[in-house]
Amino acid sequence: MIAVRLFFYGAALILVGAVPAFCSLGSVISSFKVADNRFVDAYSVGRDATYVYYITKDRPTPGYRLTYRYPGGGGGRSLWIYGFPASHGDADRSVLGFGYIADIYQEGSGPQTVTDFDIRTGSAVASWAPLSSMQGYAYNPARRIRYVGISNYVYRYNMRGSLLSSFGAPIGISGLAAPQEFAGKPGEYIIVTRGNYWYAFTGQGVEVARVLFPWEFSGISTSACGPGYPPAYGNTLWCLATVKLADVYVCQLYLGNATAVAPASVGRIKALYR
């Protein structure tokens, strides 16, 4: 059972409109396995208009792989990603647009940077270092705002790298995502993932939703927002989640942005276990 708490935003309660009858805020729409935490580790996930991206590392092979697959889990390919020894963290869309992905990258014992990678070659092409240490990164292309998170704070930056504002997220941060709408309402929103919960905030730092992840998972980590699959779900949350402390799945979560279509044309929520 998914526990959902909704908060008042202004004078109106944020409710989900035009939602298929079987779908509620935070529902797992789809999922596919990407790692097992025994032989393959998974570190971050991203989404663009075509693919879902995730970064993995095979044990004991050094180096990291960037894999892109179609949102249903099929197709795609993998390639070695730049840099070793290195570490990769929360990924999201790149400010460079299609053909690139960015994540929190650290080479050796050097500083952490938000680094843009070319998805065709795996090469690093640009970097940005707003803070010396970061735990979450997200980018909203519609608002042209970048977000980074560390400890209990989210920081908002414009495209010139100037700090716009910050707000406290007392639950702590394991990943950030930036939907362009939430519960069917366009605007600036930031989703913070932490443990078995994810939280939605406005750009001003007002918490508008708090959702418990399904009990089958032991934790939700890195996340990104992007087009839903099927598209009628609207903007959705894509994240990495661990099952039974071992297998790692890419999961797509419902954010209440479905268009007004008949449920039969939207599809059914896929069960994690078949």
Side-chain angles (χ1 to χ4, degrees):
M1 179 66 67
I2 300 175
V4 180
R5 293 175 61 189
L6 294 177
F7 296 81
F8 283 97
Y9 175 35
L13 183 66
I14 290 185
L15 297 175
V16 177
V19 179
F22 52 78
C23 205
S24 60
L25 185 66
S27 294
V28 178
I29 299 168
S30 61
S31 62
F32 56 89
K33 182 178 174 180
V34 297
D36 54 25
N37 268 349
R38 292 181 293 270
F39 303 104
V40 181
D41 295 316
Y43 293 92
S44 60
V45 62
R47 175 77 164 107
D48 65 15
T50 305
Y51 295 106
V52 175
Y53 302 86
Y54 55 93
I55 296 174
T56 60
K57 184 179 185 298
D58 298 338
R59 300 183 189 178
T61 306
Y64 295 80
R65 288 187 177 274
L66 172 66
T67 301
Y68 43 103
R69 295 166 68 173
Y70 292 110
R77 57 185 287 260
S78 295
L79 70 160
W80 291 109
I81 196 168
Y82 170 87
F84 181 79
S87 63
H88 293 269
D90 191 23
D92 211 298
R93 289 165 289 199
S94 168
V95 297
L96 301 179
F98 294 127
Y100 301 90
I101 188 172
D103 80 348
I104 297 173
Y105 175 75
Q106 183 177 24
E107 189 163 356
S109 59
Q112 287 186 322
T113 63
V114 176
T115 300
D116 300 283
F117 295 92
D118 187 327
I119 65 172
R120 296 159 296 187
T121 65
S123 298
V125 295
S127 65
W128 174 57
L131 301 173
S132 60
S133 180
M134 295 168 282
Q135 293 168 303
Y137 162 71
Y139 172 55
N140 186 327
R143 301 278 168 166
R144 295 182 66 78
I145 297 177
R146 293 186 281 191
Y147 310 89
V148 296
I150 178 67
S151 186
N152 294 339
Y153 287 90
V154 176
Y155 297 86
R156 302 169 62 250
Y157 293 86
N158 63 21
M159 296 299 293
R160 296 186 300 275
S162 298
L163 179 64
L164 299 174
S165 65
S166 63
F167 63 88
I171 66 287
I173 296 168
S174 64
L176 295 179
Q180 298 180 45
E181 60 177 336
F182 182 76
K185 296 180 178 293
E188 183 189 353
Y189 300 97
I190 303 98
I191 289 178
V192 176
T193 58
R194 175 69 175 181
N196 279 2
Y197 280 88
W198 60 266
Y199 303 75
F201 295 89
T202 67
Q204 292 74 42
V206 178
E207 184 180 327
V208 294
R210 182 180 304 183
V211 183
L212 176 65
F213 209 54
W215 65 268
E216 295 94 339
F217 296 89
S218 58
I220 176 175
S221 56
T222 64
S223 57
C225 286
Y229 180 79
Y233 282 109
N235 214 229
T236 58
L237 178 66
W238 299 82
C239 62
L240 291 182
T242 304
V243 179
K244 297 181 179 179
L245 301 177
D247 297 332
V248 181
Y249 283 76
V250 167
C251 294
Q252 180 188 192
L253 306 184
Y254 183 61
L255 296 182
N257 298 321
T259 53
V261 296
S265 65
V266 177
R268 296 181 178 180
I269 298 177
K270 300 178 180 179
L272 179 63
Y273 302 105
R274 295 178 173 88

